[in-house]
């Protein structure tokens, strides 16, 4: 029997729906909410409203593209957390309503697990065990993945996530939110060794990114005192130097952790895995570190429902269903 699942992602500022059949993604519609741009960050109340406004049309498009009717679905999956409470609530309530009216099972998915399981949408798929550096706007983790749903967080950030460090330094440079991809594109033509920012070393497989953020803030403040146009005149080099420091910190600790745990299958996941410098450097480590690396397609790095769908597929196989009393968990742990 073939299994078809409709999956919904609404944890932050992307409203997304996907349909999966027997582990094959048939559609993945993503709407990135633009209402937050002018505020320099996601406004939770506006995110919930935008999810409410768009969820029906996004689900409709995902079903149409899959060429299946809603009545053909065998389960409804949604993101349970972590994420913004009000945003999650929209996806969960919508999913509960659908599952209840159709009398089919509900599947709750951990957003961070889903980022990692996005590696099982396309080939090549990593073999177990592998380490995954999961880097997003809200999280920075090194995870040991022993099986599809068997994961252990070996280390994580003690303060800011690396995506947050990208976005906040971008804001200091006067770039709109979210600025991570803009730093990436300005950095292409910049000199990464022009400016040096101090790194914070922290024990074990953990990270800290708040220090570099503060260092950039004070550095810019001092330079602007001397030259009003400092940012404008040095934007490319600033972006390249900030990006260099952040990516270097990520990869140094990942290499330490891979060595410590004796694992050579290495993956990256999450929004910051779309960063071109990270993608290039980690694939070079195949040679320098004798790793086998796994880099997902960009569309599966930033938030999307296809990753929720593949995670739901594995949970369906395990008959791991949620009941109607399930509520969103803003700080859901893996
Ligand atoms: O996984 P994601 O879409 O949402 C969360 O779960 O947080 O990640 C979003 C983060 C943002 O901080 C965004 O600036 C960052 O990913 N990002 C990038 C790039 N594309 C997205 N950071 C650096 N370089 C990129 N190319
Ligand atoms: Zn995410």
């Amino acid at each position: 029997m073939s299994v078809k699942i409709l999956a919904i992602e609404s944890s932050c500022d992307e409203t997304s729906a996907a349909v999966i059949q027997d582990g094959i993604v048939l559609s993945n519609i993503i709407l990135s909410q633009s209402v937050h741009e002018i505020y320099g960050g996601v406004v939770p109340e506006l995110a919930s409203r935008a999810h409410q406004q768009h969820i029906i049309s996004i689900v409709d498009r995902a079903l149409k593209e899959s060429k299946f009717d809603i009545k053909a679905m065998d389960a409804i999956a949604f993101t349970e957390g972590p994420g913004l409470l009000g945003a999650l609530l929209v996806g969960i309530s919508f999913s509960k309503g659908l599952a209840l009216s159709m009398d089919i099972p509900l599947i709750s998915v951990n957003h961070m697990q889903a980022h990692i399981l996005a590696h099982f949408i396309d080939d090549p798929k990593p073999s177990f065990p592998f380490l995954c550096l999961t880097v997003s706007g809200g999280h920075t983790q090194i995870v040991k993945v022993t099986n599809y749903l068997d994961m252990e967080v070996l280390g994580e950030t003690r303060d800011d996530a690396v995506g947050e460090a990208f976005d906040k330094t971008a804001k200091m440079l006067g770039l709109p939110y979210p600025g991570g991809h803009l730093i990436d594109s300005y950095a292409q033509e910049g000199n990464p060794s022009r400016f040096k920012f101090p790194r914070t070393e922290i024990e074990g497989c953990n990270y800290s990114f708040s220090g570099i953020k503060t260092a950039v803030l004070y550095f810019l403040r001092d330079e602007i005192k001397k030259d009003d146009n400092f940012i404008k005149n040095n934007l490319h080099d600033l972006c390249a130097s900030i990006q260099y420091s952040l990516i270097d910190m990520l990869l140094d600790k990942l290499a330490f952790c891979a060595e410590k745990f004796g694992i050579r299958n290495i993956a990256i996941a999450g929004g910051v895995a779309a960063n071109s410098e990270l993608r290039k450097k980690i694939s070079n480590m195949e040679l320098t570190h004798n790793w086998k690396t796994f880099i997902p397609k960009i569309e599966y790095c930033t938030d999307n429902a296809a990753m929720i769908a593949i995670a739901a597929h594995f949970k369906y196989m395990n008959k791991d269903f949620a009941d109607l009393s399930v509520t969103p968990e803003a700080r859901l742990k893996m």
Side-chain angles (χ1 to χ4, degrees), residues 9 11-12 111-112 115 135-139 270-271 301-304 307:
E9 155 64 28
S11 65
C12 192
H111 182 87
M112 299 313 293
H115 268 302
V135 277
S136 72
H139 292 80
C301 289
T302 43
D303 288 348
N304 66 88
M307 70 185 198

Side-chain angles (χ1 to χ4, degrees), residues 63 68 83 91 100 109 124 131 182 200 237 280 294 322:
L63 286 165
F68 280 110
L100 188 64
V109 172
L131 284 191
L182 295 171
T200 313
D237 290 348
K280 193 167 67 198
F294 299 88

Side-chain angles (χ1 to χ4, degrees), residues 2 14 17 69 78 168 221 227 241 260 302 316 318 320:
S2 102
E14 263 86 24
D69 189 85
F78 59 85
K168 286 187 176 159
R221 188 194 58 187
D227 170 12
S241 303
K260 180 170 171 184
T302 43
Y316 190 100
N318 282 357
D320 183 351

